[in-house]
Amino acid sequence: MKDSINVGLQERSYQIDFGPGIISDISESLAEINFSRKVALITNVTVNALHGERLLSLLAQAGFDVTLIAVKDGEEYKNLETLSFIYDELVKAGIDRSCGIIAFGGGVVGDMAGLGAATFMRGVDYVQVPTTLLSQVDSSVGGKTAVNHPSGKNLIGAFNQPRLVVIDTDYLQTLPAREFNAGMAEVVKYGVIRNSEFFDWLNHHYQDLRNLKAEALVHAIKTSCQIKADIVEIDEKESSLRAILNFGHTFGHAVESLTDYQRFLHGEAVAIGMVVAARVSQQLGYCEEADVARISDLLIKLDLPVEVPKFPLSEYLEAMMHDKKVADGKLKMVFNKGIGDCLISQLDYPEVEFKTILDEVKGR
Ligand code: NAD
Ligand code: GLY
């Protein structure tokens, strides 16, 4: 039942394994990469309560010496204080550079454990075992790790590729539906920017995905990871191409920031951002109105928001100009070319391009 793809990055290459129930084979998978038998299992209290015991016992039965480190659950704990707690626990457990770290949870745990692995004793090998849809299709792949700073998200981080990613789709059985749908926004993103056949497939199979049908989940997650892996192989450190993964994120981040990160999950804000990006793309002649409608309709079918929250244009523009992606005071954005292709371009007159869209909102 196990399916795999490879992320080819010379000496930093690694495999991503997919399938329902594949966590049962974790010890064999770790042995295949000669992973240390002394490991720290970093998770959060929620994932630990649901799935920690099973993973601990699988590892213990196979003779691994495991120290469990469970952090508090929430984006608000993705900070230097929690990272410092992780360092303390790693020291207490006697972890050194010959040991390993397993990141077990959603994107918050994965990003934080990955940064811990990059920095503790100047680097410890780590493996990602992602348990949310977002982390299975996005954050566990590609090596971006980070914690937040009070002045911005993911400001303190490092590129640090894992040695292996183990994606057991059965973990999604316990994921709240809202979190699942938010992860689907990133899946739709891959279809829009890179693969129109996949976008069509999602339109036909979104119900199977929502019903957690294993075959459909594996196909969607594997295709998403393959698209991301292909991009990361070309541009690991986001000097050019990798930035296309930010489709919908420029406006999405502004939505998150204007709503104080309280009203929308990240994927929900990205859904709104993708529809706005598609509308701007249409205004600039990169796609048709029908493409915007198809993107919006699929997101609606996935119970994702597509309505732009009412804030003045000036506030949106200011929030977008604070984005990490702004270079030399110029806003760069990803535009979809039809469905299945995209381009990155500077937006010279954002106040004009976004005005029409926000005027439509005001008029409703
Ligand atoms: P998350 O890690 O906060 O997980 C969402 C919620 O689901 C949490 O409450 C978590 O405890 C719970 N959960 C996790 N697995 C579960 C399971 N199997 N069953 C039930 N509940 C479960 O959020 P996320 O959406 O996974 O990740 C968001 C984070 O990822 C953000 O911090 C973002 O910056 C980061 N991110 C990183 C990258 C990257 O490339 N590194 C890409 C995208 C997002
Ligand atoms: N989530 C975007 C990236 O990994 O580059």
Side-chain angles (χ1 to χ4, degrees), residues 138-139 141-144 159 186 189-190 228 232 238 242-243 245-246 249:
D138 189 356
S139 61
V141 174
K144 279 189 182 176
F159 285 96
E186 301 285 356
K189 175 191 81 179
Y190 290 118
K228 181 157 183 182
V232 168
E238 199 173 314
R242 186 166 176 168
L245 295 171
N246 295 317
H249 286 59

Coordinates of all heavy atoms in Angstrom, one line a residue, residues 138-139 141-144 159 186 189-190 228 232 238 242-243 245-246 249, ligand 2:
D138 N 2.1 20.4 2.1 CA 2.9 21.6 2.0 C 4.1 21.7 3.0 O 5.2 21.5 2.6 CB 1.9 22.8 2.2 CG 2.6 24.1 1.8 OD1 3.8 24.1 1.5 OD2 1.9 25.2 1.9
S139 N 3.8 21.9 4.3 CA 4.8 22.3 5.2 C 5.9 21.2 5.5 O 7.0 21.6 5.8 CB 4.3 22.8 6.5 OG 3.5 21.9 7.1
V141 N 7.3 19.3 3.4 CA 8.1 19.1 2.2 C 8.8 20.4 1.8 O 8.1 21.4 1.8 CB 7.2 18.6 1.0 CG1 8.0 18.5 -0.3 CG2 6.5 17.3 1.3
G142 N 10.0 20.3 1.6 CA 10.7 21.5 1.0 C 11.7 22.2 2.0 O 12.4 23.1 1.6
G143 N 11.6 21.8 3.3 CA 12.7 22.2 4.2 C 12.6 23.6 4.8 O 13.5 24.1 5.4
K144 N 11.4 24.3 4.6 CA 11.3 25.6 5.3 C 11.0 25.3 6.7 O 10.0 24.6 7.0 CB 10.2 26.5 4.7 CG 10.6 27.2 3.4 CD 9.5 28.2 3.0 CE 9.9 28.9 1.7 NZ 8.8 29.8 1.3
F159 N 16.5 27.0 6.2 CA 16.1 25.9 5.3 C 16.8 24.7 5.8 O 18.0 24.7 6.1 CB 16.7 26.2 3.9 CG 15.8 27.2 3.1 CD1 16.2 28.6 3.1 CD2 14.7 26.8 2.4 CE1 15.4 29.5 2.5 CE2 13.9 27.8 1.8 CZ 14.3 29.1 1.8
E186 N -4.7 24.6 -0.2 CA -3.3 24.5 -0.8 C -3.3 23.5 -1.9 O -2.6 23.6 -2.9 CB -2.3 24.1 0.3 CG -2.2 25.1 1.5 CD -1.5 26.4 1.2 OE1 -1.0 26.6 0.0 OE2 -1.4 27.3 2.0
K189 N -4.6 25.1 -4.9 CA -3.5 26.0 -5.4 C -2.6 25.3 -6.4 O -2.3 25.8 -7.4 CB -2.7 26.5 -4.2 CG -1.6 27.4 -4.6 CD -0.6 27.6 -3.4 CE 0.3 26.4 -3.1 NZ 1.2 26.7 -1.9
Y190 N -2.2 24.0 -6.0 CA -1.3 23.3 -6.9 C -1.9 23.1 -8.3 O -1.2 23.2 -9.3 CB -0.9 21.9 -6.3 CG 0.0 22.0 -5.1 CD1 -0.5 21.5 -3.8 CD2 1.2 22.6 -5.1 CE1 0.4 21.6 -2.7 CE2 2.1 22.6 -4.0 CZ 1.6 22.1 -2.8 OH 2.4 22.2 -1.7
K228 N 5.1 20.2 -5.6 CA 6.0 21.0 -4.7 C 7.5 20.5 -4.8 O 8.4 21.3 -4.9 CB 5.5 20.9 -3.2 CG 6.4 21.8 -2.4 CD 5.8 22.2 -1.1 CE 6.8 23.1 -0.3 NZ 6.3 23.6 0.9
V232 N 10.8 22.7 -5.7 CA 11.8 22.8 -4.8 C 13.2 22.3 -5.3 O 14.2 22.8 -5.1 CB 11.5 22.0 -3.4 CG1 12.7 21.9 -2.5 CG2 10.3 22.8 -2.7
E238 N 14.1 29.5 -2.8 CA 13.1 30.5 -3.2 C 13.8 31.8 -3.8 O 13.5 32.9 -3.3 CB 12.1 30.9 -2.1 CG 10.9 31.6 -2.6 CD 9.8 31.8 -1.6 OE1 9.5 30.9 -0.8 OE2 9.3 32.9 -1.5
R242 N 10.2 29.1 -6.8 CA 9.5 28.6 -5.6 C 8.4 29.6 -5.2 O 7.4 29.2 -4.5 CB 10.5 28.3 -4.5 CG 9.8 27.6 -3.3 CD 10.8 27.0 -2.3 NE 10.1 26.5 -1.2 CZ 10.6 25.7 -0.2 NH1 11.8 25.3 -0.4 NH2 9.8 25.3 0.8
A243 N 8.7 30.9 -5.5 CA 7.7 31.9 -5.1 C 6.3 31.7 -5.7 O 5.3 32.2 -5.2 CB 8.2 33.3 -5.5
L245 N 4.6 29.3 -5.3 CA 3.8 28.6 -4.3 C 3.0 29.6 -3.4 O 2.2 29.2 -2.6 CB 4.7 27.7 -3.4 CG 5.3 26.5 -4.1 CD1 6.4 25.9 -3.2 CD2 4.3 25.5 -4.5
N246 N 3.4 30.9 -3.6 CA 2.7 31.9 -2.8 C 1.4 32.4 -3.5 O 0.8 33.4 -3.1 CB 3.6 33.1 -2.6 CG 4.8 32.7 -1.7 OD1 4.6 32.0 -0.7 ND2 6.0 33.1 -2.1
H249 N -1.4 34.0 -1.6 CA -0.9 34.3 -0.3 C -0.7 35.8 0.0 O -0.7 36.2 1.1 CB 0.4 33.5 0.0 CG 0.2 32.0 0.2 ND1 -0.4 31.2 -0.7 CD2 0.5 31.2 1.3 CE1 -0.4 30.0 -0.2 NE2 0.1 30.0 1.0
Ligands
GLY2 N1 4.8 27.1 1.5 C1 5.5 27.7 0.5 C2 6.9 27.1 0.4 O1 7.2 26.1 1.0 O2 7.7 27.6 -0.3

